[in-house]
């Protein structure tokens, strides 16, 4: 058996409690064992806040101040946790990092060629001319077109998929032995994501790279990973060979994760009840016990031992039987043809300067309580359409709310209309002031709606947090002190605080793990039924859209090429582009 390039042995990570000089330290990761072998991919999966990214950053000593580690992280036999900082700088040159958001990871003031060459100059030596030549070579290897010309361009001049290719080229600059890829396909449309995954698979083979892949997308794990570890609340609950895991998951949490994955055309989602426990309030026994359908009293006595061996095991006293997944089909859309449209777009177009229009001739309607999905590749005009509906940019044609042209309303009427149409962005922190506590972020729209009394504000903020599945204690935190999934739920709560009739959701699930995604989609559907909130959901995730949407509009090059009821579109797309999107949608076999 090939020796692992990385071996974690009983890895632990702790941080001081928030806002306290002393007190008991918070254990974020505990006793994690994991191997990454040359030429293979090991995946780390689990909900947001389970410790996946913390574990990876701990292995390469990139944790924030105050963090402490225990155990060992052996890279080619060298314990990274025992090295001095100068030695660590040399060792990090042999471990490439690919982050979730390449735009934030790349320096906007440096050309991409200089950023790729930087690692080679720092760790590989040689002249600037050699580093430049190496950068152009790597950019060509990862599929950046015309690298000799484009190496002098800046990050903002590239698409999201091309920026991710640049990040991969930079990670390869020092001829690493291992790559750590942290959600590298999040936010990319399915076609581009497939290209990035195919690129990583090819590099893994040709360079004999060990890859530690952090992801929420279990379809990626099933298709590409050799091994995996499932983390829950800082502990591994199951680990082993990926193929065997998908054939027979042995831990209740693993089964719950698989059951929460949206599949094209299914009628129901099996969510996971409850939420991930905070590090300061984790159960003494099995940490999944409060959410587990198979919970028994012995589960609370202590953390369960791993049943199996070092290669394949699950930490569960009562492994459940393998569930039978029955084929499901989306229910027929509710007939709202007799209702007057709440929102109506007629020949809407958007043009940026003298360039070709980003949106052209878009006409559609939205009725109360209806969900309209907008799908298409990056650059198809989806987000532009959403921003036009929100009147965030100038457009041609007309957009009517209850028969009135929003753009022609007087100032007071426009303010009222804006409260009726709210938005949830892909990055929840676009909706949240990083310097305001979460409770104040939620109280702000309530105050604008006329709620002034302090006690009532506090009660309504707590109710909003509970409605989106969060503990009211989070109201005292800043947005940067919660996970991405939690921040997205706060953004939804903020939108709901205005009591809107329409919510525009721009890629609302792209940064969420499957359990949080299921909770959010279920919440949105319930609100549409009980409070008649209507949605425009813009997403790359056709499976998620197909579960929530009554109808789907397919955009290509700024035009609607197909608009149909969801079930009809999934079963029998009429346009070749729609069929291609459905064919490239990620699938989880089962």
């Amino acid at each position: 058996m090939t020796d692992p390039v990385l071996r974690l042995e009983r890895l632990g990570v702790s941080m001081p409690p928030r806002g306290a000089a002393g007190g008991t330290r918070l254990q974020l990761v505990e006793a994690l064992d994991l191997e990454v072998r040359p030429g293979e991919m090991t995946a780390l999966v689990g909900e947001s806040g389970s410790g996946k990214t913390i574990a990876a950053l701990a292995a390469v000593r990139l944790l924030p101040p105050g963090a402490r580690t225990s155990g060992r992280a052996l890279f080619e036999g060298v314990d990274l946790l025992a090295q001095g900082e100068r030695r660590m700088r040399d060792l990090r040159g042999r471990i490439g990092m690919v982050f979730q958001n390449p735009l934030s990871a790349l320096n906007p003031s440096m050309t991409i060629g200089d950023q790729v060459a930087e690692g080679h100059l720092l760790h590989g030596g040689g002249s600037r001319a050699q580093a430049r030549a190496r950068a152009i070579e790597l950019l060509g290897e990862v599929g950046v077109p015309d690298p000799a010309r484009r190496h002098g361009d800046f990050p903002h001049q590239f698409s999201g998929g091309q920026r991710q290719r640049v990040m991969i080229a930079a990670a390869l600059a020092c001829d690493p032995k291992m790559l750590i890829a942290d959600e590298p396909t999040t936010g990319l449309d399915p076609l581009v994501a497939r290209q990035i995954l195919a690129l990583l698979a090819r590099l893994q083979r040709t360079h004999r790279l060990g890859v530690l892949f952090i992801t929420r997308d279990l379809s990626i794990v099933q298709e590409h990973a050799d091994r995996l570890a499932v983390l829950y609340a800082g502990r591994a609950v199951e680990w082993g060979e990926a193929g065997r895991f998908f054939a027979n998951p042995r831990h209740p949490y693993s089964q719950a994760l698989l059951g929460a994955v949206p599949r094209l055309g299914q009628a129901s989602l099996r969510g996971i009840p409850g939420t991930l426990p905070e590090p300061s309030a984790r159960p003494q026994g099995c940490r999944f016990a409060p959410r587990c359908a198979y919970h028994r009293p012995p589960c609370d006595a202590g953390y369960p031992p791993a049943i199996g061996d070092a290669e394949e095991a699950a930490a569960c006293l009562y492994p459940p039987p393998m569930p039978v997944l029955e084929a499901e089909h989306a229910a027929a859309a509710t007939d709202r043809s007799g209702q007057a449209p709440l929102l109506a777009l007629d020949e809407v177009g958007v043009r940026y300067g003298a360039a070709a229009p980003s949106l052209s001739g878009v006409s559609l309607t939205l009725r109360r309580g209806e969900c309209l999905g907008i799908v298409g590749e990056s650059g198809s005009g989806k987000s532009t359409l959403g921003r036009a509906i929100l009147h965030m940019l100038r457009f041609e044609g007309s957009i009517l709310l209850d028969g009135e042209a929003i753009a022609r309303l007087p100032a007071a009427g426009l303010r009222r209309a804006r409260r009726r149409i709210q938005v949830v962005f892909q990055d929840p922190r676009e909706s949240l002031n990083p310097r305001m506590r979460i409770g104040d972020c939620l109280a702000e729209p309530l105050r604008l709606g006329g709620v002034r009394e302090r006690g009532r504000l506090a009660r309504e903020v707590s109710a909003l947090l509970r409605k989106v599945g969060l503990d009211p204690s989070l109201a005292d935190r800043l947005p940067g002190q919660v996970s991405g999934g939690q921040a997205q739920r706060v953004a939804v709560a903020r939108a709901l605080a205005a009591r809107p009739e329409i919510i525009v959701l721009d890629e609302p699930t792209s940064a969420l793990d499957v359990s949080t995604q299921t909770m959010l989609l279920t919440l949105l559907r319930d609100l549409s039924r009980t409070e008649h909130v209507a949605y425009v959901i813009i997403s790359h995730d056709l499976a998620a859209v197909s579960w929530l949407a009554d109808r789907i509009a397919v955009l290509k090059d700024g035009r609607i090429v197909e608009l149909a009821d969801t079930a009809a579109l999934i079963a029998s797309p009429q346009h070749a582009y729609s069929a291609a999107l459905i064919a490239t949608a990620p699938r989880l076999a089962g």
Side-chain angles (χ1 to χ4, degrees), residues 455-536:
R456 183 183 168 190
L457 275 173
R459 289 192 299 272
E460 294 207 18
V461 165
S462 295
L464 282 167
L465 288 169
R466 289 194 184 95
K467 184 176 283 189
V468 297
L470 294 175
D471 192 299
S473 65
L474 294 185
D476 292 330
R477 296 191 192 174
L478 296 171
Q481 294 175 319
V482 298
S483 70
Q486 290 172 323
Q488 189 63 290
R489 283 183 271 180
V490 172
V492 172
R494 179 178 167 82
L496 292 173
R499 297 181 176 86
E501 296 170 57
I502 299 170
I503 300 179
V504 177
L505 303 135
D506 192 354
E507 296 285 1
T509 62
S510 66
L512 304 182
D513 56 69
V514 291
S515 61
T516 306
Q517 175 177 274
T518 297
M519 185 283 305
L520 179 61
L521 292 173
T522 303
L523 168 69
L524 294 173
R525 176 175 278 190
D526 290 345
L527 288 170
S528 74
R529 292 172 174 172
T530 60
E531 302 182 30
H532 305 293
V533 178
Y535 304 106
V536 177

Side-chain angles (χ1 to χ4, degrees), residues 4-53:
V5 63
L6 177 71
R7 185 200 302 272
L8 304 183
E9 296 179 351
R10 309 291 292 174
L11 178 69
V13 181
S14 67
M15 291 286 291
R18 292 184 179 91
T24 304
R25 296 180 65 84
L26 303 176
Q27 290 294 137
L28 305 184
V29 176
E30 295 178 54
L32 176 61
D33 294 322
L34 179 142
E35 288 187 353
V36 181
R37 296 170 183 167
E40 292 187 0
M41 176 189 287
T42 296
L44 267 179
V45 302
E47 293 172 275
S48 296
S50 60
K52 305 184 300 295
T53 298

